[in-house]
Amino acid sequence: MIKRLGVAVAPPSPSISIKMSVFQNLVLITAISGFLGIASACSKGQCKLLDECSSDGDCEAGLYCFACPQGFSGSRCVRSTVTNPFKLLNNSLPFNKYAFLTTHNAYAIDGYPLHTPVPRVTFNNQEDMIAAQLNNGVRALMLDTYDFHGGVWMCHSFGGKCYDFTAFGPAIDYLKAVEAFLSANPEEIVTIILEDYVGPNGLTKVFTDAGLMKYWFPLSKMPKNGGDWPLVSDMVANNQRLLVFTSIKSKEASEVIAYQWNYMVENQYGDGGMKAGSCPNRAESSSLADKTKSLVLVNYFRSDPIKLETCVDNSGNLINMLQTCHAAAGNRWANFVAVDYYKRSEGGGSFQAVDTLNGKLLCGCNDVHACVPGSTAGACTT
């Protein structure tokens, strides 16, 4: 017996002591396991694709930490860059044998600084500035150009006109970012596709003022009957690394700017281009199966952009549409794939879509990483 405050108390039986010891050990083991689980969670640049994360710094190179509530719980590491096929494999094939990530309305950027005296009341399509888009692997920019305030501006139209409340900024600011990228990356090629509302010689002047004419790919070298384009390596060697297309036919003769529809076919943009199993051409384009045009562009974005939905739009459904448009284009894979909010996805997104296209174009594989270097005929690694 043990006396406590004058009261005799029986000591715990050996069986009770053993049970308490087991319980205490279980609590300790559980606590240690929880601690080790936290300690072993990836961080500091070690998290891989779709691993949970708390910041961009947790994710390995080429990934960033992103939340897509419609696609997965919490925040996970998803892709943030395109695989460069020129560096991974080669740049020795014709330009039309490669695929390039394209940003729809690349100029319509969240938070873009105001250049007019009134607030902007229009929709946005991208999050990154032009420099960031290009640095992340975007290689084609869809831009809407207007005569406005005595110069050429990037703008959404309202009734076919640019207004202070739909304008983004002077085109030269955007084009100078392209020039800086081409200057810093002498082996890269950029394509600009213009929805053009600019009067005579306005584009020539703004491209000249931006310092881009020295990179201009000449109209005389563009194939008009479905033939192959020059080799990328030759385009690089000749420093002819900027392709520009206009939507105004007369400018091909008057300003020597390529009329888009002489060289490219394109599917319907907006909601009409997102119907599963269907890939119709847009009104201005000839049929996607028209093989006298050697470039194919696939649009996949909503008529009215919904930012939170683009992470789903840019994922599996996008790749399914590329398959559909491949058949519609006479078994030709797209050279350009145009999306809104290009970095948003459920994992691989538009970056994986371009990797898939380059795999198909360069070696017949499902991913460019599966291509065997030096092979172009279906030699795929696992």
Side-chain angles (χ1 to χ4, degrees):
M1 300 288 288
I2 302 173
K3 285 190 176 182
R4 292 182 179 168
L5 299 177
V7 179
V9 179
S13 69
S15 63
I16 293 176
S17 297
I18 293 172
K19 288 178 182 178
M20 289 180 65
S21 177
V22 171
F23 175 75
Q24 290 167 342
N25 287 338
L26 286 173
V27 170
L28 180 60
I29 290 170
T30 301
I32 293 173
S33 298
F35 173 78
L36 291 176
I38 293 171
S40 63
C42 63
S43 62
K44 297 182 180 179
Q46 297 178 337
C47 297
K48 300 184 181 300
L49 185 68
L50 292 180
D51 281 349
E52 293 185 352
C53 55
S54 58
S55 69
D56 292 350
D58 292 338
C59 305
E60 64 183 13
L63 306 177
Y64 79 113
C65 192
F66 175 69
C68 175
Q70 296 85 346
F72 51 73
S73 61
S75 296
R76 297 178 183 271
C77 294
V78 301
R79 285 186 63 176
S80 62
T81 58
V82 170
T83 302
N84 188 323
F86 302 161
K87 294 180 179 178
L88 181 69
L89 295 175
N90 63 69
N91 69 350
S92 59
L93 296 178
F95 177 75
N96 56 300
K97 300 301 182 183
Y98 298 88
F100 305 96
L101 180 57
T102 306
T103 41
H104 169 239
N105 288 343
Y107 63 92
I109 300 164
D110 289 353
Y112 193 80
L114 283 175
H115 290 267
T116 63
V118 301
R120 190 179 298 125
V121 185
T122 188
F123 53 86
N124 300 323
N125 301 87
Q126 305 298 335
E127 292 172 289
D128 292 340
M129 300 293 279
I130 295 295
Q133 293 180 36
L134 294 170
N135 286 330
N136 288 331
V138 171
R139 289 296 177 267
L141 308 170
M142 301 175 86
L143 304 173
D144 297 354
T145 51
Y146 289 79
D147 286 322
F148 190 62
H149 286 326
V152 179
W153 279 52
M154 303 296 180
C155 191
H156 284 315
S157 68
F158 183 78
K161 295 182 179 181
C162 181
Y163 294 89
D164 281 343
F165 64 89
T166 64
F168 281 82
I172 193 167
D173 295 343
Y174 294 87
L175 296 179
K176 282 183 175 180
V178 176
E179 195 285 327
F181 176 81
L182 288 171
S183 177
N185 297 273
E187 296 187 354
E188 297 301 326
I189 295 172
V190 173
T191 300
I192 295 178
I193 301 168
L194 298 173
E195 188 171 323
D196 185 358
Y197 300 92
V198 177
N201 301 312
L203 288 181
T204 299
K205 182 180 186 306
V206 75
F207 276 97
T208 299
D209 291 347
L212 285 169
M213 298 307 292
K214 59 182 174 287
Y215 304 112
W216 200 272
F217 186 83
L219 186 67
S220 60
K221 292 187 177 181
M222 295 185 179
K224 289 191 175 181
N225 295 305
D228 281 339
W229 284 65
L231 305 181
V232 166
S233 54
D234 289 342
M235 295 169 70
V236 169
N238 295 325
N239 203 32
Q240 296 169 340
R241 300 184 291 116
L242 178 68
L243 283 71
V244 180
F245 296 95
T246 175
S247 59
I248 298 179
K249 187 174 184 179
S250 63
K251 289 188 178 181
E252 182 154 310
S254 63
E255 296 184 58
V256 202
I257 303 174
Y259 178 52
Q260 179 183 357
W261 309 118
N262 283 341
Y263 309 93
M264 188 183 301
V265 293
E266 183 178 323
N267 74 319
Q268 179 59 44
Y269 55 86
D271 295 344
M274 299 183 73
K275 296 178 181 178
S278 174
C279 188
N281 58 282
R282 64 180 289 173
E284 301 90 337
S285 170
S286 58
S287 165
L288 265 70
D290 180 1
K291 293 188 178 181
T292 66
K293 316 295 189 294
S294 52
L295 296 175
V296 178
L297 187 152
V298 170
N299 295 302
Y300 199 74
F301 49 83
R302 298 172 186 249
S303 298
D304 298 313
I306 303 176
K307 187 174 181 179
L308 292 178
E309 296 292 338
T310 52
C311 59
V312 175
D313 294 342
N314 292 346
S315 297
N317 292 338
L318 169 60
I319 292 180
N320 292 339
M321 182 55 69
L322 295 176
Q323 294 275 359
T324 300
C325 292
H326 169 259
N331 295 323
R332 292 185 296 167
W333 294 104
N335 303 104
F336 302 97
V337 54
V339 298
D340 285 339
Y341 292 109
Y342 73 102
K343 281 172 63 176
R344 290 176 166 257
S345 78
E346 294 179 286
S350 62
F351 305 112
Q352 181 57 52
V354 175
D355 282 0
T356 298
L357 289 172
N358 275 316
K360 295 292 189 181
L361 284 163
L362 294 172
C363 64
C365 304
N366 290 326
D367 189 298
V368 69
H369 295 94
C371 296
V372 175
S375 173
T376 58
C380 306
T381 61
T382 56

